[in-house]
Amino acid sequence: MSKGLKIVVLVKQVPDIEKVRFDYEKGRLDRSSAEAVINPFDLNALEAAAQIKEKIGGVVTVVSMGPEQAEDALRDALARGADEAVLLSDLRFAGADTLATSYTLSCAVRKLGAFDLIVCGEKTIDGDTAQVGPEVAEFLGIPHVAYVNEILDVSIAEITVKSRLDKDNYVVKMCFPGLITVTKDANVPRLPTLKDKLRSRKAEIAIWGVGDLTSLDEKQFFGLQGSPTWVARVFAPTSGKKKGQIVEGTPEEKARKVAEILIKLGASQ
Amino acid sequence: MNVSEDALAQELVSIVGKEWVVTEREYMLSYLQDETPEPVRPKAASNLILVKPISTSEVSEILKTANQARVPVFPVGGRTGLVGACVPTEPGVILSLERMKRLEIDRDNLMVVAEAGATLGDLLRACDEAGLFFPPHPGDEGAQVGGLIATNAGGVRAVKYGVMRNYVKGAEVVLATGEVLNLGGKLIKDNAGYNLLHLVIGSEGTLCVITKATIRLHPKSEHSVTVVVPFNGRHEALQAVQKILLSGVVPLAIEYVEPDEINLSAAHLNEKWPVQAGRAQLLIILNAESEEELLVACEKLSAACSEIGAGEPVLAETREEQDKVLRIRSNIYTALKPQLVDILDVTVPPSNLGDLMDAVERIAAKHGVHLPVYGHAGDGNLHVHVMKEEGKASDYVAKVKKEIYEAGVRLGGVITGEHGVGAIRTQELTTATDEKELSLMRGIKRLFDPNNILNPGKVIT
């Protein structure tokens, strides 16, 4: 007899966006200027997982990659419906881009063993790429549905969701195992009960480093070493005035002059 | 009025400059009312001039001019009051101090010197940036410092540190004659004679015009949490208030709400109230220096509540979550307002709140009406809402209000705990107050304002 679904939720600890300041000299967020919180979209992922667990039964495991302090985010997740937590923390994970992050998370999910569903927030508020969820699915070789704004039905074998892409809604049925990323519209995250909050403070959190994951794959795919992209510079865009040019003459002359200008700017003949 | 409107306007222009005197009614509409429910809101008079001074000396000149000409002056703040206290009910001058909004934080003395026109929002932000904390939160952050003091505003965070009166340590005020007084100061102790400062606080613009105030602050607490506790019924929730306070936990706020009203407010804001359990709920705000300390307090209050069968407490911890909960609570009034005739704020000793609730239930049953209630349970301050019947104020309204006031006074309370008397409770104040006390109040009014130019028709008539 089935004991329900095995659900993994991927979360990230981010600075409180309401308070964080930008260090213009260093070109990066001054993370010390604000308290760290769970990425708000990940709260929707946790809520989706908690609701599925309440309906079908099962276990929700929450995984995060980050420094030791990210343990706070995992305890918060445990208070909000997760049953188990794993922190991926190792200096060699540092400097990871979305590819290395996805790779690391997918290794952790593999190490956890068989699973049915992975739930992620649609993106993080500090990176804003929305790439990690789908990339994790690719590394694991499973299907995914991104931008889920409603879970229409779920059973022990499959999930039916509504996903919004541009202006259109798509209803998609996906067999397990699979991955979804959820938007803010998917649900209203619950507040933790005092009982769950107190339980979460005593819970044991597994901490895995590169050594715990390398038996599965190669070390060079982690952290900065495994990141083909990096942030060269961060700057606040300045608003420049667009230069206008008025072209005079007959319609034919105007067309010729515009064409000359465009060709000079690099347009092909 | 011993002067023509045009001549008065000219005199005011000579004091504050042309652009700060408004005589066209269409440009002063928002100054003609406050947030009092429409069915009981007093009507603004005609022949009004709106003036906006920038300094205490300009306020002084305006009052001197008005006093000589026997022209009524109606000081206004953010116009967020609920008893028509700032509505200009006679021809005269509307005095808005909105341009006087400087704030000066004094970290060494844990005080801020604020001009009367600074808003509550300005004050909260300035304190936050300085790492300090101003606890009272009467709800609308558009309220101005002068109005907060003139109405002795209360709000949701009065249990631990008290209402506005507990924070004001000094004030610069302008008398009807134009004379400027400095009352109190950056002092923790002050026993030098009769305390005129506390006479001015809560005087609703009838004794003088407050232009500046020295307000006490607290260091900012690093940690806070908002707890929502569901109960099976009204009585259980109200019993829990005393048990919480006796447990040694001193919250910033203990608010009483019921699901119908709080869900209506959430829907009004397009939000969702996080707790659906229970027929009554307490919303409790706690602050502390550490998370450990907060959780110990939560466990204590949870134990106190569970003695009377409370459900599992739910915690709003992040700033966003706490702001959302408080925002929904603060908007119950806004959500109910379209169907509202009047909002009462009868206040009784906290331990008598259950009896007041019983009395309200009996009155509602007797008249066959629904009287939504919520309030500041930790302060014994209950907001009973008298609603429209089929879209209009019915005959029962006056009877219901009278019976609720009588019940409050019988239980050792007062007809108003925070909204004040304003224009719409003068009769009730007269009925509920000892004649000698009223006579002293009238004497004080005459002493401060012999020509009765300051906010006439309000508080004492």
Side-chain angles (χ1 to χ4, degrees):
Chain A
M1 192 176 147
S2 169
K3 289 180 180 173
L5 296 173
K6 187 162 182 195
I7 306 168
V8 180
V9 180
L10 306 179
V11 306
K12 185 182 181 187
Q13 191 181 46
V14 295
D16 186 343
I17 209 73
E18 294 287 326
K19 293 185 193 165
V20 73
R21 296 198 183 107
F22 190 76
D23 185 334
Y24 285 93
E25 275 183 23
K26 293 177 183 162
R28 63 184 186 211
L29 294 177
D30 173 12
R31 288 177 191 268
S32 65
S33 65
E35 64 184 289
V37 295
I38 290 188
N39 173 44
F41 293 99
D42 298 346
L43 292 178
N44 296 90
L46 274 167
E47 180 60 30
Q51 287 182 13
I52 293 169
K53 186 180 85 172
E54 280 165 2
K55 185 174 177 192
I56 307 288
V59 176
V60 175
T61 304
V62 60
V63 178
S64 183
M65 186 182 88
E68 276 177 25
Q69 305 90 285
E71 201 178 303
D72 293 339
L74 290 173
R75 292 200 185 281
D76 196 11
L78 288 168
R80 293 170 192 265
D83 302 294
E84 298 164 354
V86 178
L87 174 62
L88 309 176
S89 195
D90 190 314
L91 281 176
R92 286 167 289 179
F93 292 145
D97 67 0
T98 59
L99 192 72
T101 301
S102 309
Y103 177 73
T104 309
L105 290 168
S106 65
C107 289
V109 174
R110 277 206 198 107
K111 185 176 164 71
L112 284 169
F115 63 92
D116 298 292
L117 178 65
I118 300 173
V119 191
C120 311
E122 67 163 286
K123 60 186 175 187
T124 58
I125 53 167
D126 58 349
D128 221 28
T129 66
Q131 292 168 358
V132 170
E135 284 179 4
V136 168
E138 288 303 307
F139 275 120
L140 293 170
I142 58 171
H144 78 269
V145 187
Y147 303 109
V148 169
N149 56 19
E150 191 178 353
I151 293 173
L152 299 170
D153 193 23
V154 61
S155 70
I156 199 76
E158 62 191 23
I159 188 166
T160 308
V161 296
K162 194 189 278 181
S163 158
R164 188 169 179 85
L165 293 173
D166 291 328
K167 293 173 186 167
D168 299 313
N169 282 313
Y170 295 83
V171 174
V172 183
K173 186 183 280 185
M174 179 175 71
C175 293
F176 296 142
L179 179 149
I180 59 172
T181 74
V182 300
T183 70
K184 294 286 271 183
D185 297 327
N187 51 49
V188 179
R190 71 192 58 192
L191 297 179
T193 63
L194 177 60
K195 195 168 72 183
D196 287 339
K197 173 76 184 173
L198 295 171
R199 179 181 62 86
S200 75
R201 288 169 63 82
K202 292 175 189 158
E204 281 199 16
I205 292 178
I207 300 177
W208 294 349
V210 168
D212 296 293
L213 305 179
T214 44
S215 60
L216 299 161
D217 259 300
E218 305 282 339
K219 288 182 185 179
Q220 68 266 28
F221 295 120
F222 296 107
L224 193 60
Q225 210 183 345
S227 299
T229 65
W230 64 93
V231 179
R233 188 167 72 96
V234 178
F235 60 95
T238 52
S239 58
K241 270 192 176 177
K242 287 180 183 172
K243 286 179 187 169
Q245 191 175 341
I246 296 170
V247 180
E248 307 281 357
T250 63
E252 289 76 14
E253 285 168 348
K254 284 182 190 170
R256 199 177 308 114
K257 283 179 187 169
V258 169
E260 282 169 9
I261 293 166
L262 290 174
I263 289 164
K264 206 182 276 179
L265 288 170
S268 57
Q269 289 272 5
Chain B
M1 208 189 287
N2 295 343
V3 64
S4 75
E5 198 181 332
D6 284 349
L8 180 62
Q10 280 309 313
E11 284 203 51
L12 294 173
V13 166
S14 71
I15 297 168
V16 299
K18 192 179 169 188
E19 60 187 310
W20 304 112
V21 176
V22 180
T23 51
E24 300 91 338
R25 199 170 177 88
E26 60 267 35
Y27 296 133
M28 63 171 83
L29 292 178
S30 67
Y31 294 83
L32 304 181
Q33 63 181 56
D34 60 4
E35 289 295 322
T36 306
E38 189 273 331
V40 292
R41 187 191 302 148
K43 297 279 177 285
S46 52
N47 303 96
L48 291 158
I49 301 172
L50 168 62
V51 59
K52 301 178 181 181
I54 187 72
S55 65
T56 303
S57 60
E58 286 186 1
V59 174
S60 168
E61 287 302 312
I62 292 165
L63 287 179
K64 215 180 283 177
T65 302
N67 196 43
Q68 278 163 7
R70 307 289 191 264
V71 174
V73 176
F74 298 91
V76 300
R79 286 97 68 203
T80 58
L82 295 166
V83 288
C86 69
V87 177
T89 44
E90 294 179 27
V93 174
I94 304 169
L95 180 64
S96 171
L97 277 66
E98 68 199 59
R99 293 171 65 214
M100 296 172 64
K101 55 185 181 185
R102 278 176 299 188
L103 291 161
E104 196 179 297
I105 302 267
D106 177 353
R107 281 180 58 86
D108 292 342
N109 283 309
L110 283 170
M111 297 209 192
V112 58
V113 177
E115 287 191 327
T119 65
L120 175 62
D122 295 337
L123 181 60
L124 293 173
R125 275 188 294 279
C127 293
D128 194 48
E129 280 167 17
L132 298 171
F133 180 45
F134 175 64
H137 197 280
D140 193 323
E141 293 187 6
Q144 293 174 10
V145 166
L148 291 171
I149 298 169
T151 59
N152 186 27
V156 297
R157 294 199 294 222
V159 180
K160 189 168 186 174
Y161 299 117
V163 295
M164 203 63 205
R165 186 179 297 284
N166 302 87
Y167 295 89
V168 182
K169 308 312 287 181
E172 177 191 78
V173 302
V174 184
L175 301 179
T177 52
E179 292 160 289
V180 179
L181 285 187
N182 279 292
L183 307 171
K186 292 178 179 174
L187 303 167
I188 304 300
K189 293 180 173 177
D190 178 2
N191 274 346
Y194 298 149
N195 197 319
L196 299 184
L197 175 64
H198 282 275
L199 202 52
V200 165
I201 298 167
S203 61
E204 302 188 40
T206 61
L207 299 184
C208 56
V209 175
I210 298 158
T211 47
K212 199 189 284 183
T214 303
I215 297 167
R216 193 176 187 184
L217 304 173
H218 289 266
K220 188 157 67 177
S221 299
E222 287 300 316
H223 297 271
S224 70
V225 68
T226 302
V227 187
V228 181
V229 192
F231 293 85
N232 289 330
R234 287 178 165 184
H235 279 276
E236 288 86 342
L238 294 175
Q239 276 172 32
V241 174
Q242 306 313 316
K243 290 204 176 287
I244 291 166
L245 293 173
L246 281 169
S247 75
V249 176
V250 188
L252 281 173
I254 307 179
E255 296 290 297
Y256 173 89
V257 295
E258 294 187 358
D260 284 354
E261 288 74 37
I262 201 81
N263 283 326
L264 185 75
S265 176
H268 171 73
L269 297 170
N270 202 20
E271 305 262 22
K272 191 178 166 197
W273 183 247
V275 185
Q276 293 303 316
R279 290 175 57 199
Q281 296 174 355
L282 291 181
L283 183 162
I284 300 154
I285 305 176
L286 298 163
N287 67 342
E289 291 311 306
S290 69
E291 193 183 6
E292 292 295 330
E293 200 183 316
L294 266 188
L295 285 172
V296 168
C298 286
E299 284 185 280
K300 271 188 179 180
L301 80 83
S302 174
C305 293
S306 65
E307 278 180 39
I308 31 186
E312 181 63 27
V314 165
L315 312 179
E317 293 180 282
T318 66
R319 168 75 74 102
E320 191 186 352
E321 287 167 349
Q322 293 196 66
D323 286 351
K324 178 176 152 181
V325 166
L326 184 57
R327 190 167 58 247
I328 296 174
R329 158 61 189 86
S330 298
N331 273 279
I332 298 178
Y333 172 72
T334 326
L336 289 173
K337 200 174 173 188
Q339 291 306 314
L340 196 60
V341 177
D342 200 356
I343 172 175
L344 310 188
D345 66 319
V346 170
T347 302
V348 295
S351 64
N352 288 350
L353 200 55
D355 293 335
L356 178 63
M357 196 78 94
D358 285 344
V360 171
E361 272 182 21
R362 280 195 299 272
I363 294 164
K366 178 180 161 188
H367 294 276
V369 293
H370 175 51
L371 299 171
V373 292
Y374 64 85
H376 314 301
D379 316 330
N381 185 186
L382 193 68
H383 290 309
V384 183
H385 293 70
V386 186
M387 308 299 285
K388 291 176 185 169
E389 289 281 289
E390 294 172 354
K392 56 185 180 184
S394 304
D395 300 340
Y396 77 89
V397 169
K399 288 179 200 157
V400 164
K401 281 163 63 172
K402 183 169 178 285
E403 288 172 27
I404 293 170
Y405 287 136
E406 285 170 355
V409 172
R410 206 167 45 243
L411 289 165
V414 288
I415 61 163
T416 169
E418 59 178 8
H419 296 168
V421 177
I424 68 171
R425 310 238 189 277
T426 52
Q427 185 56 47
E428 287 84 353
L429 181 75
T430 309
T431 311
T433 310
D434 179 82
E435 185 49 46
K436 185 65 193 171
E437 193 179 347
L438 284 171
S439 146
L440 286 169
M441 286 188 197
R442 289 191 185 105
I444 289 165
K445 167 69 177 169
R446 273 196 301 277
L447 203 57
F448 269 81
D449 180 20
N451 296 322
N452 193 28
I453 65 155
L454 284 171
N455 212 7
K458 313 294 169 56
V459 187
I460 285 289
T461 50

